[in-house]
Amino acid sequence: MTISTDLAYADRLDAQDDLGHFRDRFMIAEDELIYMDGNSLGRLPMAATELATDMIHQQWGTRLIRSWNEGWFTAPERIGAKIAHLIGAHEDEVIVAESTSINLFKLVMAALRLQSGRAHILTDDLNFPSDLYILQGVIELLDKQHQLEIMPSADGVYGPVSALQARLSEQTALLTLSHTVFKSGYLYDMAALTAAAHDAGSLVLWDLSHSVGAVPVDLHAANADLAIGCTYKYLNGGPGAPAFLYVRRDLQEKLLNPLSGWMGQRDLFDFKLDYQPAPGLRRFLTGTPPMMSLALIEPGVELLLEAGIDKLRAKSLRQSNYLIQLWQRELEPLGFTLKTPREAQQRGSHVSLGHQEGLRIDLALINDMQVLPDFRAPDNIRLGITPLYTTYRDIYQTVLRLKAIVTERLYEKYSTDAPIVT
């Protein structure tokens, strides 16, 4: 795509966008604000505000406990089944439960139990740190009977594919990676790495948090074993919304939830004193779901299904390519580096730009330029492209405002002390 650097060109691209009308389905409270952080927290779907009102006044206020038999109890499976269509899974292989970290803990513990006799856990240093914290905690809990190996990326952008494949062995119990890397947006070849792990007898667990809703995922085609993911990024499910987990059908009866709880009990209203896991994926539920936040995931998922993940991916790639070309023309001469793969097939839906003054530039962008990105140490300014509502005008204006911050040295008034949330 050959680009022009004027605003009229961006507006022409927006006029030609057949997904552009979906932006009207989200709350846009500040017309002048450019939101480039949907890869951290998605915008609020208008349908979710209507559902929230109904949840409070009708389902909770009027129907009270009767609502458990009117859709609440089956919501984890119902919403999970819809997410399944976005990630290439059967409807009965995905369920919404607890948080991403808790789901990771449950599946890692279950996988290691199934892989008894193997002590090696393999990941990379591009994985989300909280995933590593869970792995480290599991090892402590299991009396340090397992070893975690973290393979380094050579450049902090691309995954160490060859090194990971070389380290797989008959001792590897589990390979676990982020499908889309949170800093650089690097996208792993799920099928190739899963096949390599299976050749070594290892299970594979994928974190889909930065993929689901933005990148086509086909868990079946990759023969993936396990996966987790959050719902508050590209799924637009709301802050702290419950996460989801995936377990391939043939593994469901072989794996046990280490957090055995009431919602995962076979006959939960028999109130038997001995735990018996429910059949299928419901065994991976633990506590009573938080119905308000759980229910509000559904409108965002339905918007994505309506738009179609392939169309969303095509737009995402066009927009990220547009952003990268603008970076090369306008920002690279000012010291900005591209910290995201140029290759479309290896790129998720956010673009990271590095700069030695990255933090202070980020603060100026937020406070002076009405652009909301996020920042990841040491120097990554992440620009999230969420095709349901990100416009080409948003991208164009973001690049010009980044340029102005540096050329006018607006960042110099800011401290290098990072805020709590970046």
Side-chain angles (χ1 to χ4, degrees):
M1 178 172 68
T2 302
I3 69 166
S4 171
T5 56
D6 60 24
L7 182 57
Y9 178 75
D11 287 342
R12 285 198 300 274
L13 292 176
D14 284 325
Q16 297 164 6
D17 177 18
D18 61 355
L19 295 177
H21 61 95
F22 280 97
R23 181 178 169 88
D24 297 331
R25 310 271 289 274
F26 290 86
M27 178 177 286
I28 312 290
E30 302 171 74
D31 290 336
E32 298 303 314
L33 179 70
I34 298 174
Y35 192 61
M36 300 296 291
D37 204 13
N39 54 310
S40 286
L41 175 64
R43 282 190 179 274
L44 171 64
M46 297 300 295
T49 66
E50 300 166 6
L51 178 57
T53 298
D54 184 72
M55 286 288 297
I56 293 170
H57 294 289
Q58 176 64 19
Q59 297 185 41
W60 179 15
T62 300
R63 298 304 294 164
L64 295 166
I65 201 167
R66 291 172 290 188
S67 287
W68 282 109
N69 283 324
E70 296 169 358
W72 284 5
F73 186 79
T74 57
E77 293 106 323
R78 183 182 71 248
I79 300 172
K82 293 180 179 180
I83 294 172
H85 289 283
L86 296 172
I87 58 176
H90 291 306
E91 292 187 350
D92 61 355
E93 292 177 320
V94 182
I95 198 164
V96 179
E98 282 87 39
S99 70
T100 313
S101 292
I102 292 174
N103 287 338
L104 178 62
F105 173 83
K106 291 187 288 190
L107 293 187
V108 169
M109 288 287 289
L112 294 182
R113 170 182 280 186
L114 185 64
Q115 294 282 78
S116 177
R118 291 172 173 247
H120 182 226
I121 304 170
L122 185 62
T123 188
D124 67 4
D125 65 352
L126 301 180
N127 206 346
F128 201 69
S130 64
D131 286 17
L132 302 185
Y133 306 157
I134 293 295
L135 295 173
Q136 292 160 6
V138 165
I139 290 171
E140 289 290 329
L141 189 63
L142 296 177
D143 297 324
K144 300 182 180 179
Q145 296 299 305
H146 296 81
Q147 299 82 43
L148 174 63
E149 186 170 9
I150 304 172
M151 301 303 297
S153 165
D155 57 8
V157 175
Y158 291 84
V161 176
S162 297
L164 288 166
Q165 291 174 331
R167 289 300 298 149
L168 289 164
S169 74
E170 68 280 356
Q171 281 301 307
T172 306
L174 181 67
L175 169 66
T176 179
L177 299 163
S178 290
H179 181 226
T180 300
V181 171
F182 83 102
K183 277 189 181 179
S184 71
Y186 171 76
L187 183 66
Y188 270 110
D189 184 333
M190 178 185 288
L193 268 174
T194 299
H198 287 173
D199 286 344
S202 172
L203 292 175
V204 186
L205 193 162
W206 291 98
D207 187 334
L208 305 180
S209 294
H210 285 84
S211 296
V212 61
V215 174
V217 178
D218 196 335
L219 293 172
H220 278 175
N223 197 27
D225 304 307
L226 309 166
I228 56 166
C230 71
T231 62
Y232 49 77
K233 300 183 191 296
Y234 297 106
L235 296 188
N236 306 296
F244 66 89
L245 61 83
Y246 157 88
V247 180
R248 202 177 60 228
R249 269 183 187 167
D250 61 295
L251 290 174
Q252 291 179 12
E253 299 299 320
K254 299 177 182 178
L255 298 176
L256 294 175
N257 181 359
L259 297 175
S260 51
W262 187 39
M263 283 289 153
Q265 168 74 328
R266 178 179 293 272
D267 299 306
L268 65 167
F269 282 99
D270 285 352
F271 296 106
K272 294 177 180 177
L273 300 186
D274 294 324
Y275 178 79
Q276 294 293 326
L281 209 52
R282 196 167 181 93
R283 66 178 53 200
F284 279 97
L285 296 181
T286 300
T288 303
M291 278 311 307
M292 293 299 295
S293 56
L294 172 60
L296 297 184
I297 298 169
E298 200 160 13
V301 174
E302 290 176 343
L303 280 173
L304 291 161
L305 292 172
E306 181 183 343
I309 192 63
D310 291 331
K311 286 185 177 181
L312 290 166
R313 174 61 169 168
K315 179 180 175 181
S316 167
L317 289 176
R318 288 193 298 269
Q319 289 191 314
S320 60
N321 186 56
Y322 176 62
L323 174 52
I324 289 170
Q325 291 192 50
L326 284 173
W327 156 78
Q328 188 168 14
R329 187 172 299 183
E330 304 292 335
L331 299 179
E332 187 177 23
L334 301 176
F336 286 90
T337 59
L338 181 65
K339 307 193 78 170
T340 290
R342 286 177 179 263
E343 303 89 344
Q345 72 277 11
Q346 295 184 5
R347 187 170 69 239
S349 199
H350 65 271
V351 174
S352 287
L353 302 179
H355 195 282
Q356 63 181 2
E357 292 289 355
L359 175 60
R360 294 204 290 173
I361 292 170
D362 180 75
L363 293 173
L365 202 59
I366 294 169
N367 296 309
D368 298 334
M369 294 294 184
Q370 287 194 292
V371 178
L372 284 181
D374 65 15
F375 177 81
R376 294 293 178 262
D379 63 350
N380 292 269
I381 301 169
R382 294 196 315 173
L383 303 173
I385 291 171
T386 43
L388 283 177
Y389 52 78
T390 299
T391 66
Y392 288 91
R393 175 181 274 252
D394 288 340
I395 295 168
Y396 174 82
Q397 294 282 22
T398 296
V399 169
L400 286 197
R401 293 177 196 189
L402 281 167
K403 182 178 180 179
I405 288 168
V406 174
T407 56
E408 299 172 25
R409 306 187 73 84
L410 300 178
Y411 62 86
E412 290 183 344
K413 65 182 177 181
Y414 291 98
S415 169
T416 57
D417 295 331
I420 295 173
V421 178
T422 59

